[in-house]
Amino acid sequence: MATHETPSGLLIEMHNIVKKFNIGTENELTVLRNCEFDVAPGEFVSVVGSSGCGKSTLMNIIGMLDRPTTGSYRLSGVDVLALRDDEAARYRSLHIGFVFQNFNLIGRISARKNVEMSMMYAGVGRKEREARADELLAMVGMSDRAGHSPAELSGGQKQRVAIARALANNPDLILADEPTGALDSKTGRMVMDLFHTLNQEHGATIVFITHNPELAAETTRIVTMHDGVISGPRAPRVPQQALRLGVDAAPTEVIARADTASSRGVDKHERGDQA
Ligand SMILES: Nc1ncnc2c1ncn2[C@@H]1O[C@H](COP(=O)(O)OP(=O)(O)OP(=O)(O)O)[C@@H](O)[C@H]1O
């Protein structure tokens, strides 16, 4: 796997990204316009902007689920746009963890199997997969539901499993698209606190798309999209010594901290300090 030590010190380097849909037809649409987007290791960056401004389109390109029409994109120093589709799929599965609004868990298998699945694609052996899935589910406080199927879990529990799955291959980057969007405010708070713990305690680099300005304000940097154009502060240019994600820290301690922070958030909520 590539490491964070890139010549620029940046994890994501996007330059002059343009995305057009339906090229050459009467429906041609330019959705991203000369976007510059850099992220340094260890950042927790939120991307905000009104509906239809291009956030998910940007996310799909960062997540290597789609390619830009023009522009350059390096992830962990690798020119990922130069990769063939099969190479890109493998690179994506090893380097990026996704968390979606609607969880995107596989319904007919257990929480543990959902976490294991991405490791299976990465070629991790069964014993190691099972052990790591258990560690990750402990980390997100879901050990007691590991054998349950997604239908038997609450929204917050599903999202915790999805976060454990996103961490499975020790990714360089977590991409979270409205991860609290389908959750009530208390559960959303808990999920957000888990992201903070992963960022602060484990050095996880997170790009977080949200409509919620209060949640965005908690992150280390906010960029705004407007009609396909990104604005906001640039990534710190000084190379950072970021920790790679790992579960070597005591998992129970991690979730305990998230839970404590979560109750603090609820208290604030009850006091009316936040929406
Ligand atoms: N595959 C596609 N083909 C054509 N147009 C598309 C496609 N995907 C997105 N668009 C258009 O691109 C624009 C930006 O969409 P995108 O989903 O990126 O916005 P968004 O900021 O994520 O919106 P929301 O906050 O509502 O999710 C929209 O006008 C949308 O209709």
Side-chain angles (χ1 to χ4, degrees):
M1 295 220 315
T3 70
H4 287 314
E5 283 92 36
T6 62
S8 63
L10 293 169
L11 178 65
I12 292 177
E13 299 165 79
M14 288 187 136
H15 179 55
N16 224 0
I17 293 285
V18 172
K19 180 66 183 179
K20 298 181 183 199
F21 290 111
N22 304 322
I23 295 171
T25 72
E26 59 180 20
N27 292 330
E28 182 166 315
L29 191 64
T30 302
V31 173
L32 299 179
R33 300 165 196 276
N34 307 99
C35 289
E36 305 285 322
F37 186 58
D38 292 341
V39 175
E43 282 199 281
F44 186 176
V45 183
S46 43
V47 179
V48 300
S50 55
S51 182
C53 68
K55 300 183 296 298
S56 296
T57 303
L58 178 71
M59 166 106 168
N60 288 341
I61 294 173
I62 298 172
M64 301 171 64
L65 298 167
D66 199 1
R67 292 175 186 261
T69 308
T70 56
S72 67
Y73 173 24
R74 298 181 86 83
L75 177 62
S76 294
V78 171
D79 176 3
V80 293
L81 300 180
L83 300 177
R84 291 192 317 261
D85 283 353
D86 58 328
E87 294 169 333
R90 179 157 175 80
Y91 194 86
R92 179 174 63 234
S93 74
L94 292 176
H95 293 265
I96 305 174
F98 293 89
V99 182
F100 298 100
Q101 176 169 354
N102 292 320
F103 325 119
N104 287 20
L105 296 174
I106 301 171
R108 60 182 188 284
I109 59 175
S110 68
R112 185 187 285 110
K113 285 281 175 213
N114 265 279
V115 179
E116 273 185 53
M117 200 64 108
S118 44
M119 289 184 268
M120 213 151 85
Y121 293 135
V124 180
R126 187 167 62 87
K127 276 213 151 47
E128 193 184 336
R129 279 199 319 258
E130 287 173 356
R132 182 156 174 81
D134 282 341
E135 273 184 292
L136 288 166
L137 287 167
M139 183 188 233
V140 300
M142 286 297 295
S143 292
D144 58 339
R145 294 284 194 282
H148 290 236
S149 69
E152 297 167 332
L153 302 176
S154 70
Q157 290 170 337
K158 282 183 209 168
Q159 201 58 302
R160 287 186 190 210
V161 174
I163 292 170
R165 179 186 56 185
L167 298 174
N169 290 323
N170 209 14
D172 297 341
L173 172 69
I174 297 174
L175 274 182
D177 194 352
E178 291 281 355
T180 63
L183 305 174
D184 62 66
S185 62
K186 183 177 163 189
T187 313
R189 178 74 261 153
M190 193 176 63
V191 165
M192 195 65 188
D193 287 332
L194 188 50
F195 281 122
H196 282 302
T197 305
L198 292 169
N199 175 245
Q200 289 164 17
E201 311 280 333
H202 293 255
T205 308
I206 304 170
V207 175
F208 170 65
I209 293 183
T210 183
H211 280 109
N212 185 324
E214 292 182 6
L215 293 183
E218 296 177 13
T219 63
T220 57
R221 183 161 61 98
I222 302 175
V223 299
T224 305
M225 288 201 75
H226 179 71
D227 198 17
V229 177
I230 295 182
S231 59
R234 300 294 299 262
R237 284 276 154 181
V238 183
Q240 296 182 355
Q241 187 63 44
L243 301 170
R244 289 188 63 75
L245 279 175
V247 290
D248 33 339
T252 42
E253 204 185 317
V254 172
I255 189 64
R257 282 196 210 114
D259 278 346
T260 310
S262 178
S263 4
R264 280 202 306 273
V266 174
D267 290 342
K268 262 196 281 176
H269 177 64
E270 282 165 356
R271 288 201 312 268
D273 290 358
Q274 63 185 57

